[in-house]
Amino acid sequence: SRNSYYVLVVSKSRRRAAGPSTRRHCRCRHGDMMTLLRQNNESVMKEDKHHHGCCCTTRRCHPGKAAAIRRRLLHTSFRWWHAIFIFSAISLFICLLQIFLPPPFGILQPSEQIAQQPFSDGCAEGVEYCICPRETVCAEDWMSMILLILARCSAFFDYPLYMMMFLTKAHNINDALRRTILREWVEFSDLHDIHAIFGIVVGIETMSHSFFHLLRWGLNANIQLLWQSRTGISGLIACTVTPLIVWPMALPFLKRRITFELRKFL
C-alpha cells in the first residue's frame, strides 16, 4: 500500500562516516544500527548489525529486500497477531470440555445410552463411557476416541484462524479500522503475511483432521461413510481442494513454476 514505504534512519555518527555517496545510494554498512520507520509512523522497528546490506528509502527501496526485512521481523519478534493463538487455545479447551462432559454440555455418554442409538451396539472393549452422538462421530473404543479427539481438536484450534483469514482480506473493513484507535495496537500492514501464515497452519491441520477421521472410519470398517454421508462428501471435497489452494502459494518451488494468475484461480 502507499503507507508501506520504509525510511532508513542511520545514527548521526554513522551517517557522517558513511559519506555523501553512501547516503545517496542508501546502503547500510556492516555493523550499522538502523531503525526502520514506516512513513505513516504506525510502528518503529529496530534491526541489529546482522541485517546489513539492505536499501530502504521511500523511493529507492528495493522491494525484495524491504519485504525480506518485514518477514524476518514478523517471524522473530512478538507481534500483535500472536494473541490470536490465545483464542485458538480457548477454542481447543472448549473442544476438550465438549468431549469429556456428559450431555447437555458434552457428548460423553454411558454404554447403555449409546446402545439405544440405531447405529451402535454400545461401547466396545469393556469401555463404560464413549462418544457416539451420530454415526459419523461414533467412537466406541479407546483407539477410536483418541483419533476422534485429535480430529476435533485440530478443527476447533483453527476456528479463530479461519475468521482472521477472512478479515485479513476484508480490505474495506481494514481501511476503515486503520483510521481508528486500533492502529495503535494492530499493524494493518502485516495482514497479508498473517493471511499466508495462518493459511499454512490451516492447510496442515485440514489434512491432519481428514487423516484422523479416515483412519478411524477405516479401523472401524466404516469407510463407506466417506461417500455415503454429507460429512464424508464435504470432507473429501475439502481434502481435495485444500492442497490446490495452499501448496502453490506456500511452497517456493511451486510458486516459481506456476504463474500468479493460475495460483489465484486455484
Side-chain angles (χ1 to χ4, degrees), residues 207-265:
M207 301 306 293
S208 65
H209 176 84
S210 303
F211 170 76
F212 289 129
H213 273 310
L214 290 175
L215 182 59
R216 179 173 58 85
W217 287 347
L219 292 176
N220 295 332
N222 291 325
I223 196 62
Q224 72 278 359
L225 293 174
L226 182 61
W227 57 85
Q228 292 181 357
S229 65
R230 294 181 180 180
T231 302
I233 294 173
S234 61
L236 182 61
I237 294 173
C239 187
T240 304
V241 173
T242 298
L244 299 178
I245 299 173
V246 178
W247 292 356
M249 291 292 187
L251 300 179
F253 73 93
L254 289 179
K255 292 181 68 173
R256 290 192 298 267
R257 290 167 173 79
I258 303 176
T259 62
F260 173 78
E261 291 76 13
L262 180 56
R263 289 186 282 121
K264 189 70 173 178
F265 172 77

Side-chain angles (χ1 to χ4, degrees), residues 54-120:
C54 63
C55 179
C56 297
T57 64
T58 54
R59 294 186 180 273
R60 299 176 182 176
C61 179
H62 191 283
K65 293 179 180 178
I69 291 175
R70 186 177 64 189
R71 286 195 298 270
R72 185 161 57 243
L73 291 174
L74 191 71
H75 290 284
T76 57
S77 58
F78 180 81
R79 308 292 292 173
W80 64 270
W81 53 269
H82 291 170
I84 304 299
F85 289 106
I86 297 176
F87 294 97
S88 294
I90 295 174
S91 180
L92 181 64
F93 179 69
I94 293 174
C95 174
L96 294 175
L97 288 180
Q98 184 189 56
I99 291 174
F100 291 107
L101 288 179
F105 305 103
I107 56 178
L108 188 67
Q109 295 177 298
S111 180
E112 294 78 10
Q113 294 183 6
I114 298 294
Q116 297 176 5
Q117 302 283 358
F119 44 80
S120 177

Side-chain angles (χ1 to χ4, degrees), residues 61-189:
C61 179
H62 191 283
K65 293 179 180 178
I69 291 175
R70 186 177 64 189
R71 286 195 298 270
R72 185 161 57 243
L73 291 174
L74 191 71
H75 290 284
T76 57
S77 58
F78 180 81
R79 308 292 292 173
W80 64 270
W81 53 269
H82 291 170
I84 304 299
F85 289 106
I86 297 176
F87 294 97
S88 294
I90 295 174
S91 180
L92 181 64
F93 179 69
I94 293 174
C95 174
L96 294 175
L97 288 180
Q98 184 189 56
I99 291 174
F100 291 107
L101 288 179
F105 305 103
I107 56 178
L108 188 67
Q109 295 177 298
S111 180
E112 294 78 10
Q113 294 183 6
I114 298 294
Q116 297 176 5
Q117 302 283 358
F119 44 80
S120 177
D121 296 327
C123 302
E125 300 180 359
V127 179
E128 296 182 1
Y129 290 84
C130 56
I131 302 168
C132 196
R134 58 183 184 271
E135 188 175 9
T136 55
V137 193
C138 193
E140 301 173 343
D141 53 61
W142 285 112
M143 179 58 69
S144 297
M145 285 193 287
I146 292 174
L147 294 175
L148 180 62
I149 290 171
L150 293 175
R152 291 180 68 88
C153 286
S154 62
F156 272 70
F157 183 86
D158 283 346
Y159 287 154
L161 306 187
Y162 290 141
M163 291 184 283
M164 270 307 297
M165 287 179 64
F166 281 106
L167 288 176
T168 54
K169 293 304 178 182
H171 298 299
N172 290 332
I173 295 177
N174 294 329
D175 188 60
L177 295 177
R178 192 188 295 266
R179 297 180 175 87
T180 66
I181 193 64
L182 287 176
R183 63 183 293 175
E184 297 296 329
W185 300 282
V186 177
E187 193 64 58
F188 287 95
S189 60

